[in-house]
Amino acid sequence: MSRDLPPLNALRAFEATARLNSVSQAAEQLHVTHGAVSRQLKVLEEHLGVSLFVKDGRGLKLTDAGIRLRDASAEAFERLRDVCAELTQSSADAPFVLGCSGSLLARWLIPRLGRLNADLPDLRLHLSAGDGDLDPRRPGLDALLVFAEPPWPADMQVYELCSERIGPVMSPRFAGYERLRQAPASALCGEALLHTTSRPQAWPIWAQQHGIEPGALKHGQGFEHLYYLLEAAVAGLGVAIAPQPLVAEDLRAGRLVAPWGFSETPAHLALWLPKRAADGRARQLAQWLKAELLRQPE
């Protein structure tokens, strides 16, 4: 004797019809037509080899077999509803773990956490910092906030937030400040430029956009992470290059200046999460991040 289950759509149609005692009401609840429910009931009876309903006037009446299946399916579907509700609630109660680089976290996101928590009080955001080793495909991470270039990975849901804009910045404390602040961009060819190993392409991209041969640039002090690079720039150690959002507060406060402005790169700041783990909280967060990027000072 086969122990295979009948088609689940047929069982679902039967459970709803038996519970509501109406094919029409079952169709309405399941968002299908009356005929679709009737066909599923016929499929189920043919699979089981027994009649589940008999006509009773203008309605239907359960047979003894139908009563047995109604009781069993009602218990099974109710248990499924309970478990699904528990899982949904558990997911909603769990923190939303967002990964991003340490520089993006420290220089842009943390200063805005108070506003984010006030605007999205149910998000329960947990932050995980890293550089190059964060992957939302791995357990323990729900999404990744990252500067990256398309094309996007096929298995990722990607919310594009803004184009990346980069530019050279320096502190008024820098010894070469007065000499450089009104000089053309080509004047940087004579400087020992601060740079970072985490973004080696930044200076060459900027140089090409300004008609400067990348090989004409001279690298000075290097730093492992962008955060350290920008701290060095604020301390007056030289000219650094950075994404505009990460230095916006420093520019507004006068700790840094950007004499040559900012230029778009092929990259975007984007929120990534696996398609298999679509989460409505990610869409809310993406909308908030995009709005915050639009309101930030230049």
Side-chain angles (χ1 to χ4, degrees):
M1 181 178 66
S2 173
R3 291 178 57 84
D4 291 342
L5 283 172
L8 292 181
N9 280 341
L11 281 173
R12 189 167 176 241
F14 169 79
E15 187 274 337
T17 302
R19 172 166 44 83
L20 298 169
N21 198 33
S22 167
V23 173
S24 297
Q25 290 184 41
E28 183 177 350
Q29 185 176 94
L30 298 174
H31 305 290
V32 296
T33 64
H34 184 287
V37 173
S38 296
R39 286 191 294 274
Q40 290 296 340
L41 295 178
K42 184 177 180 182
V43 166
L44 184 60
E45 288 183 328
E46 289 177 351
H47 181 93
L48 297 174
V50 296
S51 295
L52 300 172
F53 294 95
V54 294
K55 289 188 175 181
D56 184 22
R58 299 180 62 181
L60 293 174
K61 180 180 179 181
L62 286 164
T63 63
D64 289 343
I67 290 172
R68 288 182 62 192
L69 186 59
R70 177 200 64 190
D71 293 344
S73 63
E75 181 180 351
F77 276 95
E78 186 60 27
R79 178 59 182 150
L80 282 171
R81 292 187 190 99
D82 288 344
V83 171
C84 288
E86 290 171 6
L87 292 175
T88 300
Q89 185 61 42
S90 175
S91 176
D93 290 342
F96 186 87
V97 183
L98 175 67
C100 64
S101 70
S103 53
L104 185 57
L105 176 62
R107 289 195 145 259
W108 193 83
L109 196 50
I110 286 178
R112 291 163 174 78
L113 273 183
R115 191 154 56 238
L116 191 157
N117 291 333
D119 292 343
L120 301 177
D122 297 329
L123 182 60
R124 295 192 59 212
L125 187 66
H126 180 82
L127 300 168
S128 178
D131 287 275
D133 58 349
L134 295 173
D135 189 336
R137 301 176 185 86
R138 298 174 184 170
L141 202 64
D142 293 306
L144 179 66
L145 185 62
V146 63
F147 284 106
E149 293 185 25
W152 309 122
D155 60 346
M156 286 288 166
Q157 171 74 52
V158 177
Y159 296 94
E160 293 185 16
L161 304 176
C162 68
S163 296
E164 182 186 50
R165 298 170 65 229
I166 62 173
V169 293
M170 61 181 175
S171 167
R173 300 162 60 187
F174 174 48
Y177 172 75
E178 290 296 337
R179 174 172 48 84
L180 291 173
R181 67 189 183 94
Q182 293 184 336
S186 58
L188 291 181
C189 292
E191 294 297 315
L193 303 173
L194 304 179
H195 62 99
T196 172
T197 55
S198 65
R199 299 294 300 275
Q201 76 281 14
W203 275 119
I205 288 174
W206 177 85
Q208 289 175 336
Q209 290 175 334
H210 288 78
I212 299 171
E213 175 58 43
L217 298 180
K218 181 174 65 174
H219 283 178
Q221 180 70 54
F223 297 87
E224 185 177 0
H225 300 300
L226 183 59
Y227 177 79
Y228 304 138
L229 172 74
L230 296 180
E231 288 299 302
V234 170
L237 299 183
V239 182
I241 191 163
Q244 189 270 340
L246 272 61
V247 294
E249 297 295 335
D250 295 298
L251 296 175
R252 185 172 65 169
R255 291 186 293 268
L256 292 173
V257 295
W260 304 280
F262 295 88
S263 305
E264 284 194 8
T265 78
H268 289 76
L269 180 61
L271 186 70
W272 293 15
L273 70 155
K275 287 182 177 178
R276 59 173 171 73
D279 192 323
R281 295 175 297 174
R283 183 169 56 254
Q284 287 183 312
L285 178 59
Q287 291 171 346
W288 187 92
L289 291 169
K290 195 166 188 176
E292 190 67 20
L293 286 159
L294 290 173
R295 76 188 293 272
Q296 70 178 20
E298 292 293 331

